[in-house]
Amino acid sequence: MTFPSDAAAHLPGRRVTGKEAGGWLAPIPGLLRRDPYHCYWLGDHLFPVSITGVLAAGKSSYAMARIAATQAIWQPRGTTCHLALELSLKAQRATPRCQHRQVQLLEHPQHGEAFAEYADWVEPLLNHGRWQQVQVIASERPTCCLVRNVAGTYDTAFLDPALPIPSDRPSWAAGPARVLADLKSLADGGSTYCTRAQIGGYMALESSQGQWFDYGQTIWCRPGRTLFSAPYTRRECLLAWAAAWSHYSGLHRPF
């Protein structure tokens, strides 16, 4: 089955090249993210909403109030874990099979104190064995789609030679199975939840940039342990995103 969000990936000149398929994904020319509000610009074009904003439209006022009430707890923890993973993966890119990444980060001149505070989360995340089984091709990668006028940044993507190639993968998407992954940090007793819509949103944006992903995966980061979810199929993720996008567009883009 071909989803509407996949259509742009089949246009001439927008396909994944062999060089990209085996290495770090090249940045999208002209796309910038401006913090702290996560505003996205492509040249002089400002995107009106991010993937996070689309998904927030589907949350109840009660859920949003709960999120806001605990923000002082989850935000610094999540920011620290995401930054630690980004620095680690980019360091590993520069120096393959880099050792003692957690020690280097704990001694980081700017962020070492924060990394030390959340070491129970950071160390198991960076030292998980899965990083030795895959080839990382992206970390904190901004992406966008001009058709839907949406942008966002996903946490990481990698090639996994152990996963089977899905039968519906187009012939031009060469190489091992391609996985787009989302990192979530949790308190010790925190519950997992469905992230397929978020991952599917990033898949849809990347599809418009000529990047194909076969699977999605969630990285659950807890104190003392990190778990990788079972892989989600592309279909599961895109269907969940389609439902979220339909709800959002019905509320905010009724035209």
Side-chain angles (χ1 to χ4, degrees), residues 88 99-107 122-123 126-127:
S88 176
Q99 300 297 318
H100 308 299
R101 292 186 301 278
Q102 80 282 9
V103 174
Q104 294 170 0
L105 288 175
L106 292 177
E107 297 172 354
V122 169
E123 291 186 12
L126 304 191
N127 291 303

Side-chain angles (χ1 to χ4, degrees), residues 42 159 173 180 183:
L42 184 63
L159 309 180
L180 191 155
L183 171 64

Side-chain angles (χ1 to χ4, degrees), residues 58-222:
K59 299 183 185 296
S60 67
S61 57
Y62 174 77
M64 294 301 293
R66 288 287 302 273
I67 292 171
T70 57
Q71 184 172 358
I73 298 173
W74 59 258
Q75 187 173 55
R77 181 187 69 214
T79 298
T80 302
C81 291
H82 279 76
L83 179 60
L85 182 61
E86 178 187 7
L87 293 177
S88 176
L89 295 180
K90 289 181 176 178
Q92 191 171 15
R93 175 197 180 193
T95 308
R97 302 189 182 281
C98 176
Q99 300 297 318
H100 308 299
R101 292 186 301 278
Q102 80 282 9
V103 174
Q104 294 170 0
L105 288 175
L106 292 177
E107 297 172 354
H108 193 283
Q110 183 178 358
H111 306 291
E113 185 175 342
F115 293 148
E117 181 179 355
Y118 293 100
D120 287 348
W121 283 263
V122 169
E123 291 186 12
L125 171 64
L126 304 191
N127 291 303
H128 197 282
R130 183 142 175 75
W131 301 121
Q132 304 305 314
Q133 301 167 349
V134 302
Q135 179 186 349
V136 177
I137 59 174
S139 177
E140 290 296 319
R141 173 175 162 83
T143 186
C144 64
C145 174
L146 285 170
V147 175
R148 288 171 178 76
N149 212 8
V150 182
T153 299
Y154 60 90
D155 299 327
T156 187
F158 42 80
L159 309 180
D160 186 350
L163 287 175
I165 301 300
S167 60
D168 61 349
R169 182 199 242 194
S171 59
W172 53 264
R178 297 164 62 89
V179 183
L180 191 155
D182 187 64
L183 171 64
K184 300 296 185 188
S185 70
L186 297 173
D188 192 23
S191 301
T192 61
Y193 49 92
C194 182
T195 64
R196 290 177 180 84
Q198 184 173 4
I199 293 172
Y202 296 129
M203 285 182 172
L205 300 191
E206 282 288 72
S207 196
S208 73
Q209 300 297 327
Q211 300 292 344
W212 178 274
F213 288 97
D214 302 290
Y215 298 97
Q217 193 164 37
T218 310
I219 307 167
W220 299 107
C221 177
R222 299 175 183 272

